[in-house]
Amino acid sequence: MMRSNPPRRPAAPPAPTSGRSAAQRQREIATLLMRLDAMLKQSAELAQTARERVSVGGLARYRRFSRRVRDFFALAALTQERLDAAPEEMEDLIDPMTTALERLHARMVVQFVEGSAAFFASFARVKALPIGTHEMCGVELRGVLEIRKFLDDPLYEGERGQALRGEADRIAALIRRVMDRIPPLPDFGDEPSIGPRGTLNSPLKGPNAHLPPGRAAARPSADRLAAARPSNMPPVAPPAPNPSTEVRSLSLDQFEDDEEE
């Protein structure tokens, strides 16, 4: 499944951190590779934890696993950039480090596909789904589709790669099946939004939905209320003001009169 060592890449422009020796670059890349190996082991533990109790908080535990996987691929991309910008003094180490990175990358892809398939095969049978499952599964569906693109690389040719592609497609179908079982949360915004599956969601229709944002509907005036009152009904007198709570308008002249008295 692994391809042979690729030919030496064209020399890339030097990294922005100037003044670093080849030994320092070598230690940096080696540290990144060790960090990727540790993240690979941590993600395996998170995947096992998510599968232990799928029906009770399992989706939240699975999301911790998928976040760690995304962090792994982000760090792998950074490591590849460091390898591409390695100086000529590391000529003998670039190919072995590139091979190590490709193996770690392939192991994580396999781990993610197998872990996700095992989780969603059980989660799709859960009867009571929590609120927000539609949106959370939409995020995970996009992540599965992004990792599915890795399987089109020549690195995954052969029967093993074909099986992984079929498994990734099955995971996406399971996630869509879960999303179809529970409606999305209502949209409380003022403008339409895009749902996790790319659909356009309209905001809830309230009394002020026809007005621009920040403007409330005007209250009916007294004349409109009087016109709407039947003619045979006597007008209702306004309530007498309470002396204890009556607010009077005062002026400076009134204060001067009080002082003269």
Side-chain angles (χ1 to χ4, degrees):
M1 178 172 143
M2 295 300 301
R3 60 188 177 190
S4 59
N5 291 337
R8 179 71 171 94
R9 295 182 176 87
T17 54
S18 58
R20 305 181 63 184
S21 64
Q24 291 175 327
R25 300 284 182 85
Q26 177 182 345
R27 285 194 296 269
E28 179 190 15
I29 297 174
T31 301
L32 292 174
L33 291 173
M34 289 187 294
R35 177 58 180 160
L36 289 173
D37 185 69
M39 294 175 69
L40 184 67
K41 298 175 182 178
Q42 293 170 1
S43 63
E45 297 174 357
L46 292 174
Q48 178 63 31
T49 302
R51 292 194 299 266
E52 289 175 353
R53 297 183 66 188
V54 175
S55 59
V56 182
L59 184 57
R61 285 190 286 268
Y62 173 82
R63 298 192 71 191
R64 287 195 285 270
F65 161 67
S66 65
R67 281 197 297 268
R68 181 53 53 92
V69 173
R70 289 192 291 269
D71 293 342
F72 173 93
F73 287 122
L75 187 61
L78 176 63
T79 307
Q80 186 63 60
E81 291 180 1
R82 294 294 187 266
L83 284 170
D84 293 340
E88 294 294 335
E89 291 81 356
M90 293 179 57
E91 180 73 27
D92 296 337
L93 298 174
I94 291 176
D95 288 344
M97 287 183 168
T98 301
T99 301
L101 177 60
E102 289 179 350
R103 289 176 177 174
L104 290 170
H105 196 282
R107 287 172 58 191
M108 177 57 85
V109 171
V110 173
Q111 184 182 109
F112 175 78
V113 172
E114 293 179 349
S116 299
F119 174 81
F120 281 105
S122 300
F123 188 72
R125 297 193 297 267
V126 174
K127 295 182 179 180
L129 297 174
I131 296 176
T133 298
H134 187 94
E135 285 72 20
M136 288 187 289
C137 284
V139 175
E140 301 307 325
L141 177 60
R142 289 196 293 267
V144 170
L145 296 179
E146 285 298 319
I147 294 180
R148 170 64 176 82
K149 298 177 182 178
F150 292 151
L151 297 174
D152 294 329
D153 191 273
L155 181 66
Y156 301 96
E157 292 179 349
E159 295 182 0
R160 181 58 171 167
Q162 184 177 358
L164 288 173
R165 286 191 290 271
E167 197 74 350
D169 294 337
R170 189 174 71 90
I171 296 168
L174 288 172
I175 297 177
R176 292 188 179 98
R177 187 187 307 172
V178 173
M179 295 176 67
D180 291 338
R181 287 177 49 196
I182 185 168
L185 295 174
D187 187 357
F188 294 98
D190 296 325
E191 299 293 337
S193 61
I194 303 298
R197 299 182 67 173
T199 57
L200 183 65
N201 298 329
S202 299
L204 294 179
K205 301 300 181 182
N208 300 331
H210 62 285
L211 296 176
R215 295 189 58 184
R219 301 183 62 181
S221 60
D223 295 338
R224 293 180 58 187
L225 291 176
R229 184 181 301 277
S231 58
N232 56 355
M233 181 179 293
V236 179
N242 188 350
S244 60
T245 59
E246 183 180 0
V247 179
R248 296 182 299 163
S249 59
L250 300 178
S251 64
L252 183 60
D253 296 336
Q254 290 175 297
F255 284 105
E256 294 176 352
D257 295 340
D258 294 340
E259 292 177 358
E260 292 176 0
E261 293 176 358

